[in-house]
Amino acid sequence: MSEDQHTTVGPNTPLRRGIPRRAVLTGPAAAAVIAGTAVALPHATVPSARAVPRTGVGRGRDVAIFGGGMAGLAAAHELSERGFSATAYEPAYLGGKARSFDVPGTARGGRRGLPGEHGFRFYPSCYQHVPEMMQRIPVGRSNVRDRHLTSVESAMIAFDESGYAPTTVPASLIGFVDHAPQIATLENLRNSLITGLKFVVDVPATELTYFVSRLLVMATSCTERRIAQWENRSWMEFVKAKGKSRSYQRYLVGALTRSLVAAKPETASARTIGQIGLALATAASGLIPQYRSDLVRGDVDRILDRPTNQAWIDPWVAHLRTRGVRFVMGAGLGRLDVGGGRITGARLTTGQIVEADWYVAAMPIDRLKPLLTPELLDAAPSLAGVPALQDDWMVGIQYYLRRRSDLPPGHIAALGTPWALTGLFQAAPWNVDFSRTYGDGTVKDCLSIDISEWEKPGILYDKPAKQCTRQEIAREVWAQMSRALNAGGRETLRADDIVTWSLDPGITWSGGRTHNATPLMVNTKGSYGNRPDAHTEIPNLFIGGDHVRSNIDLATMEGANESGRRVTNAIIAAADSPAAEATLFPLWELPVLEPLKQLDRDRHRSGLPHILDV
């Protein structure tokens, strides 16, 4: 290897095998007795916090990682702590879809440029891998998690339909106490009453009861049934939305899929949507101590307290450099050469040939698919399903405002909006004076909005987002969000407050079409069988990314981070390394449900339906 490709980690390089005390798992069985039941997917096993040391001297330490997003950085982090020499090759930006950036040309008077991003992010307490890794990234005398991860203690629920009024609800008792003057107002109480009464009218009690019963079916289904049956049904089919009221379909069925994961309820895997819904609910309940959150203390909904790169990505990359990780920018993976059942080399888009002991393809599926040549698939048939995996768009736009929002800090769910919008005013939760920190001094706040639906007509131009110009998208999103938030009679959004705006630069136009450089994989029904494991039949090729089978089982930064750990463990095994395995966290579910799951397991093995499946 040449020095510009890999840095050798010497035999005296310290390996950090210890796991932070609060992250240690004593084993799924013991934890289930104490508090929660671990739910892990087939082929996605959960090792103990410390692996049994391997014997042997080990083979090969040079790792080439193609992709500098969440999966690639996580793999580099774990591998560097275990004495491997990792080089990450990234064609564009480190951090992938998680990155943030300064909007070009907006910095003035010593201030930073206006903060732009792919879309606002949140870190629910069922996320375990990302916060644990944040805790291992130093920031001064602290770390990223303790310094920058903060709770958001309220949320605004708005409905894009006449008769509803936007309502602010606390995310915890602490949140209510801290923001009581803004939450316990006559206006908000009136809006809550109006919205609650209309919802009861629009969604009949029988339908609401039925929806809850379907959630109970998922909660008490064994893992085997979830994979064999619910994985192959769409969320819409599972909750049996056909023939139900419009509001049942629009709010109960559609809200979770469109606002959380950009999936369509007509095609999304019922197992995936149901399991993440259960995880969010159990994390909020406080009955699962592993999640360390509840509706009293908070931490159910968390965000970073500043732009992602400032808070997390930049300190992370700096830390990895100190551990010997090398980054080669402007270099994507163009081809993997196969010979004798192994990867013999990798050709970069720059023309350079990379040779390493281990190769990691840690890239999105749209960039992985072109690499799957017939020769590679012959050697790794488990990757044959990757071309069938589907992606969708979930993209952000930021509006920079001359007036600071007086809403309590929290996420905004604009339910029923044609483009499935969610948002966050950033000044309050970041606890920052925007005018002194960003831009030219005129911007007081930023409303960051995620657009999750790109194929349905809007309300201004009667066109889907994919057929709109950049300017039309900005006007359409503002109009939809304004209609939802201003429905209660209060003018929460005013067009004359907009100083400027920024759409994710990954959205471009050419040849009469709109293009997205960063699509998001969605878990469509039946897609689990097409998703790869971190290891392949090629002994020196590994796959990272949110499309890899994982316990979180969702295309998220949490899933990508987990995949980086799985890559690490697979390389440890292939290299016969004595290093400790990277910790993998399961989803946790209520142990009281375990007897019912066992009953369902017996029925499933006997070919019987779930006892509540009526």
Side-chain angles (χ1 to χ4, degrees):
M1 291 295 156
S2 62
E3 180 62 21
D4 63 345
Q5 288 179 334
H6 297 286
T7 300
T8 302
V9 178
N12 296 323
T13 301
L15 298 183
R16 187 167 133 189
R17 299 188 187 180
I19 303 298
R21 180 181 301 273
R22 65 185 292 167
V24 170
L25 302 177
T26 57
V33 172
I34 295 172
T37 300
V39 177
L41 297 178
H43 314 299
T45 54
V46 184
S48 61
R50 290 182 178 273
V52 177
R54 290 175 170 76
T55 59
V57 296
R59 298 187 302 275
R61 295 281 174 171
D62 290 321
V63 185
I65 301 172
F66 301 101
M70 181 58 56
L73 292 177
H77 190 141
E78 299 290 1
L79 288 164
S80 69
E81 289 189 348
R82 290 158 175 80
F84 288 83
S85 177
T87 301
Y89 299 87
E90 168 56 41
Y93 307 99
L94 296 174
K97 291 186 284 289
R99 79 178 184 103
S100 63
F101 54 89
D102 290 349
V103 178
T106 60
R108 298 285 190 279
R111 304 175 188 85
R112 298 187 64 104
L114 293 171
E117 56 193 353
H118 172 73
F120 77 84
R121 282 161 285 277
F122 83 118
Y123 306 81
S125 52
C126 62
Y127 282 17
Q128 301 169 87
H129 297 90
V130 164
E132 190 271 343
M133 188 161 281
M134 285 180 173
Q135 194 179 31
R136 290 189 274 143
I137 302 170
V139 177
R141 296 184 178 181
S142 186
N143 58 74
V144 170
R145 193 193 71 173
D146 294 345
R147 175 74 67 84
H148 295 305
L149 197 61
T150 183
S151 289
V152 176
E153 301 296 2
S154 71
M156 172 170 276
I157 310 298
F159 294 79
D160 186 44
E161 189 169 337
S162 62
Y164 285 95
T167 303
T168 300
V169 297
S172 68
L173 180 59
I174 289 178
F176 178 78
V177 172
D178 289 346
H179 303 288
Q182 296 159 293
I183 295 175
T185 65
L186 287 177
E187 177 188 47
N188 194 49
L189 293 174
R190 181 200 65 196
N191 288 353
S192 300
L193 183 61
I194 291 172
T195 295
L197 289 175
K198 181 164 177 54
F199 190 81
V200 168
V201 171
D202 287 350
V203 182
T206 53
E207 291 186 354
L208 184 59
T209 301
Y210 185 76
F211 185 79
V212 172
S213 74
R214 299 309 293 171
L215 297 182
L216 287 175
V217 169
M218 182 65 71
T220 56
S221 289
C222 62
T223 302
E224 295 85 346
R225 187 184 299 280
R226 292 182 187 182
I227 290 289
Q229 187 173 359
W230 306 139
E231 166 65 19
N232 296 305
R233 291 192 188 178
S234 72
W235 180 239
M236 186 78 81
E237 291 168 338
F238 175 77
V239 296
K240 301 185 179 180
K242 187 176 181 180
K244 302 290 194 305
S245 67
R246 176 176 176 272
S247 294
Y248 179 91
Q249 297 180 17
R250 192 178 190 190
Y251 300 130
L252 290 181
V253 177
L256 182 62
T257 54
R258 300 308 287 149
S259 62
L260 182 62
V261 294
K264 295 178 173 64
E266 299 86 359
T267 57
S269 160
R271 178 185 59 81
T272 295
I273 301 303
Q275 283 190 166
I276 195 62
L278 289 174
L280 293 169
T282 54
S285 71
L287 299 176
I288 304 293
Q290 289 88 346
Y291 289 143
R292 303 179 183 88
S293 63
D294 57 51
L295 293 176
V296 175
R297 296 171 298 174
D299 275 350
V300 173
D301 179 5
R302 298 166 296 181
I303 64 168
L304 292 170
D305 65 357
R306 61 191 62 192
T308 310
N309 268 49
Q310 294 177 41
W312 178 20
I313 304 299
D314 292 346
W316 195 5
V317 172
H319 174 63
L320 295 182
R321 290 186 191 277
T322 67
R323 298 206 59 86
V325 176
R326 298 180 69 85
F327 296 93
V328 179
M329 302 302 296
L333 178 58
R335 190 182 73 203
L336 289 168
D337 294 327
V338 184
R342 297 177 64 85
I343 301 298
T344 58
R347 184 180 296 274
L348 301 179
T349 52
T350 60
Q352 178 187 2
I353 300 296
V354 174
E355 294 180 353
D357 298 310
W358 316 105
Y359 299 83
V360 180
M363 57 192 65
I365 57 170
D366 61 306
R367 298 183 183 179
L368 176 62
K369 289 177 180 180
L371 302 174
L372 302 179
T373 61
E375 294 79 12
L376 191 144
L377 290 177
D378 284 344
S382 62
L383 300 180
V386 170
L389 297 176
Q390 300 177 31
D391 54 35
D392 210 331
W393 294 16
M394 188 173 187
V395 175
I397 183 171
Q398 289 80 51
Y399 296 89
Y400 306 100
L401 309 174
R402 65 182 81 256
R403 178 172 61 99
R404 180 167 174 144
S405 171
D406 56 2
L407 295 174
H411 286 108
I412 300 166
L415 304 180
T417 46
W419 289 2
L421 306 179
T422 50
L424 175 73
F425 285 104
Q426 292 177 323
W430 285 6
N431 192 26
V432 65
D433 185 334
F434 255 71
S435 62
R436 297 182 62 180
T437 309
Y438 302 107
D440 62 0
T442 63
V443 173
K444 300 293 181 63
D445 210 337
C446 172
L447 174 58
S448 187
I449 296 175
D450 277 345
I451 310 167
S452 298
E453 172 58 76
W454 285 75
E455 297 178 351
K456 290 185 178 180
I459 63 176
L460 286 184
Y461 303 102
D462 197 33
K463 294 190 298 185
K466 287 184 178 180
Q467 295 179 15
C468 290
T469 66
R470 185 183 299 273
Q471 188 74 35
E472 287 172 342
I473 289 173
R475 291 172 177 168
E476 182 71 57
V477 170
W478 185 264
Q480 291 185 31
M481 187 64 87
S482 297
R483 190 167 77 174
L485 293 190
N486 295 344
R490 177 186 180 187
E491 198 174 17
T492 300
L493 297 185
R494 301 186 310 210
D496 57 5
D497 283 336
I498 301 175
V499 176
T500 187
W501 52 269
S502 171
L503 180 65
D504 182 350
I507 299 296
T508 57
W509 287 260
S510 66
R513 297 185 60 188
T514 307
H515 306 274
N516 182 6
T518 54
L520 176 73
M521 194 204 83
V522 290
N523 297 53
T524 55
K525 65 178 182 179
S527 61
Y528 181 76
N530 292 322
R531 291 166 56 194
D533 290 310
H535 61 274
T536 73
E537 294 89 345
I538 299 176
N540 62 342
L541 175 64
F542 308 89
I543 308 297
D546 55 17
H547 46 280
V548 170
R549 292 180 179 181
S550 64
N551 290 335
I552 191 68
D553 190 50
L554 193 67
T556 57
M557 66 179 72
E558 173 75 358
N561 189 289
E562 182 182 338
S563 79
R565 296 168 184 245
R566 291 184 179 279
V567 164
T568 298
N569 292 347
I571 291 177
I572 287 172
D576 196 22
S577 168
E581 288 186 334
T583 302
L584 298 176
F585 297 95
L587 290 179
W588 297 96
E589 295 186 4
L590 297 174
V592 70
L593 300 177
E594 195 58 29
L596 296 175
K597 291 180 186 177
Q598 184 57 52
L599 171 63
D600 185 57
R601 185 171 292 110
D602 295 337
R603 290 179 62 86
H604 178 69
R605 289 171 179 170
S606 299
L608 297 173
H610 191 286
I611 196 170
L612 299 178
D613 187 19
V614 294

